[in-house]
């Protein structure tokens, strides 16, 4: 049985409060500003006070948007579950008293950790919601879902910002929480690395992608990485790792499937790191011309979708797979754009694909707020 709309299922006062906070102006921050939150107890207190005020605004906007999606997407059970997670987090934040001292700040940080856990499965749950809609309306083409794709871009871009403030893409602590680490790594402020080596991150991410390919296929193409090992700049290593991992994972799958039954040795994937640009190229056969317009849309994938209806009942993320969700490429582009970069993909059908990942190195770009 479908859950009710917000206005029908909660007290009117809460619905009005969500509307009020959703109309407030969001405050964007830059990488440099986030780094300035580290260090002293005073800065930690300022960070907590900012997060306490800013998060309800961003979360309220998402609740309102989740209530008003086109084509009946708002009524899908998986989307209603996501709406309720955001609503619960809004209620928790608004009911938390003013943060005045260190003890208040520490207790607030514990609550932020609980919000992190609550939102861990938002991405696959939203993917399931769109899958439910497509199943309900099989006549829809990806072009017909333009409004849905635009919403998902805004939604996931906002989610990156929220998790940048309190969480990160993995299950580790987020920026505000990470600032409490008593033994921080050298040159780290929270989980921002002030001297990140893009070559080193690319090496780690490509090894993780190769390991997944090995588990899936029994073998994996080599990855050759070229660039200046001394190049460093401020960035979030987990963001870059996720982007390179997704791109190398896709390349490894394409190369492996193309050469799986061939007597020829699979050609290596090449990564060139030059300044704020990373070029990831493969000879995996390229993307069909008919598929190129769809690569940055959600739920486009050449692999079988691994999500099923049981996900809503279990609420647990399944093991990471080589492909199938259709979210890796569009979300990777959002991560690049979050700090002023971009992701571009060029492909030659019958040969291979080049992915150009641009990163803004200055760290003074304001986050784009949808």
């Amino acid at each position: 049985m479908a859950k009710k709309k917000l206005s029908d299922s909660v007290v009117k006062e809460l619905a009005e409060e969500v509307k009020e906070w959703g109309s407030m102006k969001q405050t964007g921050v830059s990488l440099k500003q986030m780094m300035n939150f580290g260090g002293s107890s005073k800065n930690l207190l300022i960070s907590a006070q900012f997060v306490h005020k800013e998060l309800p605004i961003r979360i309220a906007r998402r609740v309102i948007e989740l209530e008003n999606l086109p084509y009946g997407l708002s009524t899908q059970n998986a989307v209603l579950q996501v709406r309720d997670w955001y609503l619960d987090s809004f209620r928790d934040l608004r009911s938390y008293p003013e943060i005045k001292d260190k003890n208040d700040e520490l207790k607030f940080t514990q609550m932020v950790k609980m919000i992190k856990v609550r939102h861990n499965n938002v991405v696959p749950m939203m993917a399931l919601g769109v899958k439910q809609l497509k199943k309900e309306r099989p006549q829809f083409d990806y072009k017909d879902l333009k409004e849905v794709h635009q919403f998902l871009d805004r939604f996931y871009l906002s989610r990156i910002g929220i998790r940048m403030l309190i969480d990160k893409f993995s299950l580790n602590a987020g920026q505000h929480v990470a600032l409490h680490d008593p033994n921080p790594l050298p040159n780290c402020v929270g989980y921002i690395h002030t001297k990140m080596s893009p070559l080193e991150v690319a090496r780690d991410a490509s090894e993780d992608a190769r390991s997944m390919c090995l588990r899936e296929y029994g073998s994996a193409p080599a990855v050759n990485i070229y660039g200046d090992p001394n190049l460093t700049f401020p960035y979030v290593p987990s963001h870059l790792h996720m982007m390179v991992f997704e791109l190398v994972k896709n390349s490894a799958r394409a190369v492996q499937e193309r050469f799986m039954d061939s007597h020829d040795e699979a050609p290596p994937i090449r990564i060139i790191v030059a300044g704020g640009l990373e070029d990831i190229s493969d000879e995996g056969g390229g993307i069909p011309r008919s598929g190129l317009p769809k690569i940055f849309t959600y739920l486009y994938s050449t692999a079988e979708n691994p999500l099923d209806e049981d996900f809503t009942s279990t609420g647990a993320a399944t093991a990471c797979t080589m492909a199938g969700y259709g979210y890796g490429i569009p979300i990777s582009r959002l991560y690049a754009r979050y700090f002023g970069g971009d992701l571009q993909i060029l492909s030659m059908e019958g040969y291979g694909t080049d992915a150009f990942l641009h990163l803004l190195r200055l760290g003074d770009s304001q986050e784009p707020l949808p």
Side-chain angles (χ1 to χ4, degrees):
M1 182 177 177
K3 299 181 182 180
K4 296 181 179 180
K5 299 280 282 185
L6 176 60
S7 56
D8 299 329
S9 59
V10 299
V11 294
K12 184 178 180 181
E13 290 79 5
L14 180 59
E16 291 178 348
E17 189 175 17
V18 168
K19 183 178 180 181
E20 176 188 356
W21 279 77
S23 66
M24 294 182 184
K25 184 179 179 181
Q26 302 172 97
T27 303
V29 293
S30 68
L31 199 63
K32 285 184 178 180
Q33 289 171 324
M34 289 185 183
M35 288 189 289
N36 290 336
F37 278 138
S40 66
S41 297
K42 180 180 178 181
N43 284 347
L44 288 173
L45 184 61
I46 294 172
S47 170
Q49 290 169 341
F50 174 75
V51 171
H52 184 224
K53 181 180 179 181
E54 180 67 16
L55 281 185
I57 298 174
R58 300 192 185 193
I59 289 176
R61 285 173 173 248
R62 301 289 74 79
V63 171
I64 293 169
E65 200 161 28
L66 286 165
E67 280 275 299
N68 295 281
L69 299 178
Y71 308 118
L73 182 57
S74 291
T75 63
Q76 302 302 319
N77 286 332
V79 176
L80 287 166
Q81 178 65 72
V82 173
R83 190 277 314 271
D84 287 348
W85 288 339
Y86 275 75
L87 185 60
D88 288 342
S89 296
F90 175 82
R91 185 187 290 110
D92 289 346
L93 288 161
R94 288 294 300 129
S95 62
Y96 197 87
E98 183 181 356
I99 302 170
K100 298 180 180 179
D101 54 33
K102 183 178 180 179
N103 287 334
D104 292 342
E105 186 269 325
L106 289 173
K107 291 177 182 177
F108 176 73
T109 301
Q110 294 304 311
M111 186 191 71
V112 162
K113 289 181 180 180
M114 291 190 292
I115 291 176
K116 175 209 76 167
V117 173
R118 178 183 293 143
H119 289 249
N120 275 341
N121 289 325
V122 163
V123 173
M125 189 65 80
M126 285 300 300
L128 180 57
V130 179
K131 181 184 177 183
Q132 290 170 342
L133 176 65
K134 293 177 73 175
K135 182 178 179 181
E136 188 177 279
R137 303 192 181 191
Q139 74 277 13
F140 274 173
D141 183 73
Y142 82 97
K143 292 180 181 178
D144 299 323
L145 297 174
K146 182 179 179 180
E147 290 179 68
V148 172
H149 292 304
Q150 290 173 343
F151 154 73
L152 290 172
D153 267 344
R154 294 192 303 271
F155 181 80
Y156 290 124
L157 194 60
S158 171
R159 183 175 186 268
I160 292 170
I162 289 172
R163 292 179 82 83
M164 186 64 204
L165 293 178
I166 65 168
D167 190 47
K168 70 177 182 177
F169 194 71
S170 68
L171 296 179
N172 298 325
Q175 178 63 9
H176 178 74
V177 177
L179 290 172
H180 291 79
D181 189 348
N183 300 299
L185 295 173
N187 303 311
C188 286
V189 181
Y191 61 88
I192 299 171
H193 200 302
T194 60
K195 295 183 178 180
M196 184 198 73
S197 167
L199 200 72
E200 185 176 324
V201 175
R203 186 178 296 114
D204 291 342
S206 60
E207 281 305 308
D208 288 345
R210 289 190 73 249
S211 295
M212 180 175 291
C213 188
L214 281 167
R215 291 197 301 269
E216 187 85 8
Y217 297 103
S219 61
V223 179
N224 297 336
I225 305 177
Y226 309 92
D228 181 3
N230 297 315
L231 172 67
T232 64
F233 53 86
Y235 207 72
V236 182
S238 60
H239 285 196
L240 180 58
H241 184 283
M242 189 279 297
M243 292 183 280
V244 175
F245 171 80
E246 286 293 339
L247 294 170
V248 174
K249 182 184 71 172
N250 287 347
S251 290
R253 172 177 168 254
V255 170
Q256 193 63 32
E257 292 189 352
R258 188 184 188 196
F259 289 88
M260 187 181 301
D261 300 321
S262 173
H263 296 294
D264 297 330
E265 183 179 356
I269 298 165
R270 296 173 299 279
I271 302 179
I272 300 174
V273 180
L277 173 68
E278 297 202 11
D279 173 17
I280 301 172
S281 59
D282 67 62
E283 297 176 32
I287 301 169
R289 290 182 62 187
S290 60
L292 276 174
K294 306 177 186 178
I295 59 175
F296 287 112
T297 61
Y298 295 92
L299 292 186
Y300 168 74
S301 176
T302 56
E304 182 180 354
N305 193 312
L307 291 171
D308 57 42
E309 298 297 329
D310 290 337
F311 184 87
T312 53
S313 60
T314 63
T318 56
C320 196
T321 59
M322 279 297 287
Y325 292 103
Y327 273 42
I329 295 298
I331 285 186
S332 293
R333 184 170 68 169
L334 291 181
Y335 268 89
R337 289 178 171 180
Y338 181 72
F339 283 125
D342 205 358
L343 172 62
Q344 298 172 313
I345 292 180
L346 300 177
S347 187
M348 181 181 294
E349 187 174 2
Y351 180 75
T353 301
D354 275 86
F356 297 95
L357 184 59
H358 303 263
L359 304 177
L360 191 65
R361 296 169 55 187
L362 298 178
D364 55 1
S365 174
Q366 289 285 339
E367 57 176 333
L369 296 174

